[in-house]
Amino acid sequence: MNMTETATVKLGRPRGFCEDTALEAAMRVFWEKGYEGTSLTDLTEAMRINRASLYSSFGDKETLFRRALARYGEGPAAYLKVALQAPTARRVVETLLKGVVDLLGNPKNPRGCLSTQGALATGLGAEPIKNALIEWRKGAEAEIQKRFKRARTEGDLPEDINPGDLTRYLSSVVYGLGIMAANGDTKADLNRVVDMTLRTLPL
Amino acid sequence: MNMTETATVKLGRPRGFCEDTALEAAMRVFWEKGYEGTSLTDLTEAMRINRASLYSSFGDKETLFRRALARYGEGPAAYLKVALQAPTARRVVETLLKGVVDLLGNPKNPRGCLSTQGALATGLGAEPIKNALIEWRKGAEAEIQKRFKRARTEGDLPEDINPGDLTRYLSSVVYGLGIMAANGDTKADLNRVVDMTLRTLPL
DNA sequence: TCTATTTTGTACTGTTCGATCTAAAACATA
DNA sequence: TATGTTTTAGATCGAACAGTACAAAATAGA
């Protein structure tokens, strides 16, 4: 037996499901129903696996949600990372808002944004998840602010615009778009908000 | 016995609590923990009444939440009605945003806005509540839009600003402020967003 | 003091929750 | 075919949930 190599050959009964596909399904259920609103039965039905498989592959409900959130950041919400690479502050804002609308306005997606749909207010049991989502949002804000600070040094952010203020303002609009989408507003509605924002943007 | 008058004299054991005070307490619990995150035990403890009294006075949990929401609209969220009476479109916006910040920035209040904390995403059981909250928010938007349409006829809304677009944009900022507050941002943080909004407001 | 009426306190209902236990099933290796 | 290992399916766990039943308690009127 070769102890130095990681086992590439699997013993025992093989998996009857694809972990990636199952996680994607879990993410969408959480996105639609929120953390507390999603039951283990909801999850197992959507993921098409049973409880034992869920627990052995993903840990408990809270761990599964955290993995779903990470996947959300790298998948549906990846527009953020793309936007941060735009060449100027104005282009960052334009790309960011367009990405948000593409995500929130896509009728194939659950309504709203996972980070706000997941848990804004909770009972005692789900408080760690609520806090994780707050951290997630604040992390995104921090990245945007960092990008605007860079823009300041590169000269494409006016002197009278504070990077932190701009970040907070922009974040508010983005969060607001999430609520509008949760309200059932269409992509056209969301685009009107974005148009107004860009029209009045002081840069 | 006088049949024409409504009974002012109460028979039986008198109430041991004030219905108004109890409803206020219930409102704050829902505000803090959301609809699904609030248990009947949370409610009875905060309201300082027992289950039987709760059910006989307020009906079931869903009915109680609806009454709490109505109270929220007439109490903490009454700034909306005040703002709508401001003399010009710009003054409406200023008053509205100031009212929002006063509410969301008050550290004595639960974090965030009841209408979004209550239920954005839910399991099957709470879907009626989720929809009631959507209706509540849309109702507020409709009132604002109506006010801006009036402003248009009164000449204090520029021709190139669509009342509906302005309403949607403003609603987004307000919803966003609710999320920022839920994130734990302070009144000063919220005021920065309001300053930026007013600074760039096209009217 | 007695009766009618209403509220209160508490035990209890059935259901659903997240999580676990057990044994059968499905594979690789020998 | 026999053995070891892992996954699957389903039963089951105690706790918490929303809601209810019922008798004791507290009042007004007779």
Side-chain angles (χ1 to χ4, degrees), chain B residues 19 27 56 68 93 107 110 120 128 130 133 136 142 146 176 190 197:
Chain B
E19 192 168 305
M27 180 193 76
S56 73
V93 177
L120 277 185
K130 181 185 75 175
L133 287 168
W136 194 85
K146 193 173 154 193
L190 304 180
T197 305

Side-chain angles (χ1 to χ4, degrees), chain B residues 115-198:
Chain B
S115 102
T116 48
Q117 300 287 105
L120 277 185
T122 70
L124 271 165
E127 216 144 3
I129 292 297
K130 181 185 75 175
N131 292 329
L133 287 168
I134 290 175
E135 286 311 307
W136 194 85
R137 292 191 292 267
K138 295 219 162 199
E141 288 182 30
E143 288 186 76
I144 296 171
Q145 179 164 358
K146 193 173 154 193
R147 178 64 186 83
F148 284 148
K149 280 184 176 168
R150 200 191 95 195
R152 159 66 52 85
T153 71
E154 292 173 352
D156 54 270
L157 188 66
E159 292 276 339
D160 62 337
I161 303 294
N162 179 282
D165 290 358
L166 180 61
T167 300
R168 262 180 278 266
Y169 165 74
L170 193 64
S171 298
S172 270
V173 173
V174 170
Y175 294 146
L177 287 170
I179 306 296
M180 303 283 281
N183 283 354
D185 285 10
T186 66
K187 186 164 185 170
D189 294 324
L190 304 180
N191 262 323
R192 287 217 188 106
V193 174
V194 169
D195 289 345
M196 178 77 77
T197 305
L198 291 176

Side-chain angles (χ1 to χ4, degrees), chain A residues 173-185:
Chain A
V173 173
V174 170
Y175 294 146
L177 287 170
I179 306 297
M180 303 282 281
N183 283 355
D185 285 10

Side-chain angles (χ1 to χ4, degrees), chain A residues 30-34 36-38 42 111 116-118 120-124 130 133-134 137-138 141 160-162 164-169 171-173 175-177 179-180 182-185 189-190 192-193 196-197 199-202, chain B residues 30-34 36-38 42 111 116-118 120-124 130 133-134 137-138 141 160-162 164-169 171-173 175-177 179-180 182-185 189-190 192-193 196-197 199-202:
Chain A
F30 280 130
W31 191 352
E32 187 182 338
K33 301 190 172 188
E36 285 181 316
T38 300
D42 291 331
R111 285 182 177 175
T116 47
Q117 301 286 106
L120 277 185
T122 70
L124 270 166
K130 183 185 74 176
L133 287 169
I134 291 176
R137 292 191 292 269
K138 294 218 162 197
E141 287 182 31
D160 62 337
I161 303 294
N162 178 281
D165 290 358
L166 180 60
T167 300
R168 263 179 277 266
Y169 164 74
S171 299
S172 269
V173 173
Y175 294 146
L177 287 170
I179 306 297
M180 303 282 281
N183 283 355
D185 285 10
D189 295 323
L190 305 181
R192 288 219 187 102
V193 174
M196 179 77 78
T197 305
R199 198 170 138 187
T200 62
L201 198 69
Chain B
F30 281 131
W31 192 351
E32 186 183 340
K33 302 191 173 188
E36 284 181 316
T38 300
D42 291 331
R111 286 182 176 173
T116 48
Q117 300 287 105
L120 277 185
T122 70
L124 271 165
K130 181 185 75 175
L133 287 168
I134 290 175
R137 292 191 292 267
K138 295 219 162 199
E141 288 182 30
D160 62 337
I161 303 294
N162 179 282
D165 290 358
L166 180 61
T167 300
R168 262 180 278 266
Y169 165 74
S171 298
S172 270
V173 173
Y175 294 146
L177 287 170
I179 306 296
M180 303 283 281
N183 283 354
D185 285 10
D189 294 324
L190 304 180
R192 287 217 188 106
V193 174
M196 178 77 77
T197 305
R199 197 170 139 188
T200 62
L201 198 70

Side-chain angles (χ1 to χ4, degrees), chain A residues 9-200:
Chain A
V9 183
K10 291 190 180 180
L11 260 59
R13 179 170 175 174
R15 281 249 164 95
F17 67 95
C18 167
E19 192 168 304
D20 217 54
T21 306
L23 182 56
E24 172 77 16
M27 179 193 77
R28 296 184 71 89
V29 178
F30 280 130
W31 191 352
E32 187 182 338
K33 301 190 172 188
Y35 180 74
E36 285 181 316
T38 300
S39 71
L40 275 237
T41 303
D42 291 331
L43 289 167
T44 53
E45 283 178 359
M47 300 167 82
R48 320 203 98 195
I49 64 178
N50 62 33
R51 280 164 126 80
S53 300
L54 189 156
Y55 275 86
S56 74
S57 292
F58 299 102
D60 62 9
K61 188 186 176 188
E62 183 174 324
T63 306
L64 175 59
F65 182 86
R66 291 177 190 275
R67 289 193 58 178
L69 178 61
R71 186 185 180 84
Y72 183 74
E74 290 162 11
Y79 64 84
L80 172 62
K81 293 173 186 170
V82 175
L84 293 177
Q85 291 167 4
T88 66
R90 171 141 198 127
R91 289 289 299 137
V92 167
V93 176
E94 287 170 352
T95 313
L96 180 65
L97 292 177
K98 185 188 183 317
V100 170
V101 169
D102 282 346
L103 175 66
L104 298 176
N106 184 344
K108 295 199 172 187
N109 288 338
R111 285 182 177 175
C113 171
L114 173 61
S115 101
T116 47
Q117 301 286 106
L120 277 185
T122 70
L124 270 166
E127 216 144 0
I129 291 297
K130 183 185 74 176
N131 292 329
L133 287 169
I134 291 176
E135 286 310 307
W136 193 85
R137 292 191 292 269
K138 294 218 162 197
E141 287 182 31
E143 289 187 74
I144 296 172
Q145 179 164 356
K146 193 174 155 193
R147 178 65 186 83
F148 284 149
K149 280 184 176 170
R150 200 190 95 195
R152 158 66 52 86
T153 71
E154 291 173 353
D156 54 89
L157 189 67
E159 292 277 339
D160 62 337
I161 303 294
N162 178 281
D165 290 358
L166 180 60
T167 300
R168 263 179 277 266
Y169 164 74
L170 192 63
S171 299
S172 269
V173 173
V174 170
Y175 294 146
L177 287 170
I179 306 297
M180 303 282 281
N183 283 355
D185 285 10
T186 66
K187 185 164 186 168
D189 295 323
L190 305 181
N191 263 322
R192 288 219 187 102
V193 174
V194 169
D195 288 346
M196 179 77 78
T197 305
L198 292 176
R199 198 170 138 187
T200 62

Side-chain angles (χ1 to χ4, degrees), chain B residues 17-25 58 71:
Chain B
F17 66 96
C18 167
E19 192 168 305
D20 218 54
T21 306
L23 181 56
E24 173 77 16
F58 300 101
R71 187 184 179 85

